[in-house]
Amino acid sequence: MKKREEVYKELKKKYTDEELADSYIFSVESSKEEQQEIREEFLKLRFERLKSMSDEELISLDLFAFKLRLKKYFETDKYDNAFSFSSQLKKYLKITRRSNADVARNLGIHKTKLSRLINQRESPNIDLMYRLETHSSKEIPAFYWWRIFSKELEFKIKTDHEKMLHEANKVENPLKLSA
Amino acid sequence: MPLKNRKSGETLKSSIDKVVKSDYKWIKKSPNFKFDWKVESENEVYKIFLLDSEDEIIGLMSLIDHPEEYRIHLNLIETSGDQRGKAKTIENIAGCLLAFGCQVAFNRGYYGFLSLQPKTELIDLYEGKYGFRQFGRLLAVEGASAKFLIQNYLFDEEA
């Protein structure tokens, strides 16, 4: 097999640089010594960049990473307890770098209500989801929060056999359908 | 800008998955890939294909994770031979793979940081086309630029 440089030279004969950039993105091969030099130079700049990131920038990027994780979760059919409404709300609160009391105030709800939502003692409503959308500067749409909650709810409906039986006992004369 | 039919402008549904063992055999036999992808198998290698034509790989990407440096290094992207230059029928293959690399970098907590050690003559093109900027002798796309690539190439209209 040919080395990268040889392949590149061959491709250059056939394609313009624009066409190449459109079809190939590749790192060049270099000696170990050169690699080390490049890496050291890079690392200095990389860590300077990390240090220079503002809180606002970090929140924005953390929020986007959070959104990507949610999108990936929505692609799966299964419910994952790590993605319960309460656990994702906790993650969101952490990303904001604000206290729970501050976020509760921002959302126009009592801090006890927020605490109850976090501890799964209360279910969220659509009003809260719209408020969370606005709070995230629209990065996390209200329907994302709805999807998180609806997946959890669907799982509960399917698996809460005790409740299923309890409610079934209250029903009289159910429809009799032949198969 | 997800994958698009070059003539009609129609959006084409595609998927990006990890390359598996049997793919390497297919790639080696295919006249459409010029680079030695078997060499890349020690890295994380991904393939892109159309959902209605899963057997045919239209692009490949090789990534190296550098967790201690908070970055993913882009070693190589190659689009299939029939999708290069004037003859190509599908737009944005390399862009979609690149955006996927940024997504991997976001998922690993690197703020989308994707680096590249480019050929000098292609630096301007990579900067202009994809938003790379220089970090010493490396190029990188990161942060807001990485987010922009993902939103443009990978997100559907729904958000």
Side-chain angles (χ1 to χ4, degrees):
Chain A
M1 270 289 184
K2 291 170 190 163
K3 289 250 178 201
R4 265 186 206 183
E5 190 58 35
E6 290 173 53
V7 178
Y8 175 70
K9 278 181 186 160
E10 205 176 281
L11 292 167
K12 271 280 279 183
K13 289 179 199 160
K14 206 171 170 190
Y15 303 106
T16 64
D17 278 350
E18 284 78 10
E19 285 170 341
L20 275 177
D22 198 42
S23 319
Y24 290 97
I25 303 174
F26 62 94
S27 287
V28 293
E29 289 155 324
S30 49
S31 67
K32 271 195 174 171
E33 293 75 24
E34 199 185 352
Q35 285 283 356
Q36 185 59 23
E37 203 181 300
I38 290 170
R39 188 172 168 265
E40 278 168 20
E41 186 185 77
F42 165 79
L43 277 181
K44 192 171 168 281
L45 295 164
R46 175 68 180 125
F47 287 109
E48 270 172 21
R49 168 72 183 120
L50 280 170
K51 266 193 210 162
S52 74
M53 289 172 89
S54 67
D55 262 8
E56 194 185 326
E57 191 178 5
L58 289 170
I59 291 171
S60 163
L61 297 176
D62 280 340
L63 205 52
F64 187 65
F66 176 69
K67 183 177 193 171
L68 291 177
R69 282 194 295 276
L70 292 179
K71 278 180 87 74
K72 200 172 177 190
Y73 171 58
F74 296 152
E75 284 168 14
T76 64
D77 294 333
K78 280 186 182 168
Y79 167 68
D80 181 346
N81 201 35
F83 282 86
S84 67
F85 185 90
S86 66
S87 65
Q88 294 310 302
L89 184 58
K90 262 186 247 173
K91 284 198 171 124
Y92 175 75
L93 293 169
K94 201 174 168 198
I95 290 168
T96 66
R97 297 168 186 223
R98 295 180 186 180
S99 70
N100 290 3
D102 279 346
V103 176
R105 206 174 308 118
N106 299 156
L107 295 171
I109 60 174
H110 196 275
K111 61 181 181 186
T112 317
K113 184 182 171 78
L114 184 63
S115 170
R116 287 178 63 80
L117 287 160
I118 292 169
N119 293 304
Q120 289 185 301
R121 288 204 299 272
E122 191 170 324
S123 292
N125 58 25
I126 295 169
D127 301 11
L128 176 76
M129 294 172 192
Y130 281 129
R131 291 183 200 190
L132 282 167
E133 174 178 311
T134 305
H135 194 262
S136 72
S137 199
K138 300 211 179 271
E139 184 70 272
I140 310 297
F143 74 85
Y144 272 46
W145 292 107
W146 173 251
R147 274 190 193 164
I148 294 168
F149 184 57
S150 63
K151 279 185 90 137
E152 182 179 346
L153 205 56
E154 183 181 332
F155 178 77
K156 272 186 192 161
I157 289 170
K158 283 177 178 170
T159 56
D160 191 347
H161 300 291
E162 200 180 313
K163 176 87 175 152
M164 217 181 284
L165 191 64
H166 182 76
E167 298 305 323
N169 287 335
K170 293 179 185 172
V171 179
E172 283 180 13
N173 194 22
L175 295 175
K176 288 182 179 64
L177 303 175
S178 54
Chain B
M1 291 183 284
L3 294 188
K4 282 199 188 300
N5 181 303
R6 194 181 183 189
K7 255 191 181 172
S8 66
E10 175 202 359
T11 299
L12 304 167
K13 286 201 186 278
S14 63
S15 185
I16 299 175
D17 285 349
K18 272 203 168 152
V19 164
V20 293
K21 255 188 179 176
S22 57
D23 290 326
Y24 286 109
K25 281 184 192 163
W26 185 91
I27 295 162
K28 200 177 176 187
K29 277 186 197 164
S30 166
N32 283 326
F33 293 95
K34 297 277 181 199
F35 286 91
D36 183 358
W37 283 91
K38 193 73 191 147
V39 172
E40 304 297 323
S41 62
E42 60 193 46
N43 304 330
E44 284 179 47
V45 182
Y46 295 90
K47 59 182 175 182
I48 184 167
F49 52 91
L50 296 176
L51 284 184
D52 62 4
S53 182
E54 289 188 22
D55 294 340
E56 199 180 336
I57 297 169
I58 55 172
L60 291 161
M61 172 170 66
S62 166
L63 303 175
I64 303 170
D65 192 356
H66 290 280
E68 71 288 353
E69 296 170 20
Y70 302 98
R71 68 170 167 128
I72 297 284
H73 189 71
L74 172 58
N75 213 32
L76 179 61
I77 283 179
E78 182 177 18
T79 63
S80 168
D82 49 2
Q83 297 302 336
R84 286 179 219 138
K86 290 163 190 75
K88 71 175 176 183
T89 56
I90 302 169
E91 297 276 13
N92 304 328
I93 298 173
C96 286
L97 285 168
L98 183 66
F100 186 84
C102 292
Q103 188 169 286
V104 172
F106 262 109
N107 288 338
R108 300 203 184 155
Y110 311 153
Y111 302 116
F113 201 101
L114 190 79
S115 62
L116 168 75
Q117 190 181 333
K119 280 207 77 67
T120 316
E121 52 264 53
L122 295 177
I123 288 177
D124 286 349
L125 283 165
Y126 289 149
E127 284 179 343
K129 194 170 173 61
Y130 302 114
F132 277 97
R133 69 183 189 90
Q134 283 193 271
F135 279 76
R137 275 171 274 180
L138 296 189
L139 281 185
V141 64
E142 52 123 16
S145 306
K147 181 178 169 182
F148 182 79
L149 282 178
I150 295 169
Q151 285 172 326
N152 269 280
Y153 285 102
L154 299 182
F155 277 18
D156 49 32
E157 286 154 14
E158 197 185 32

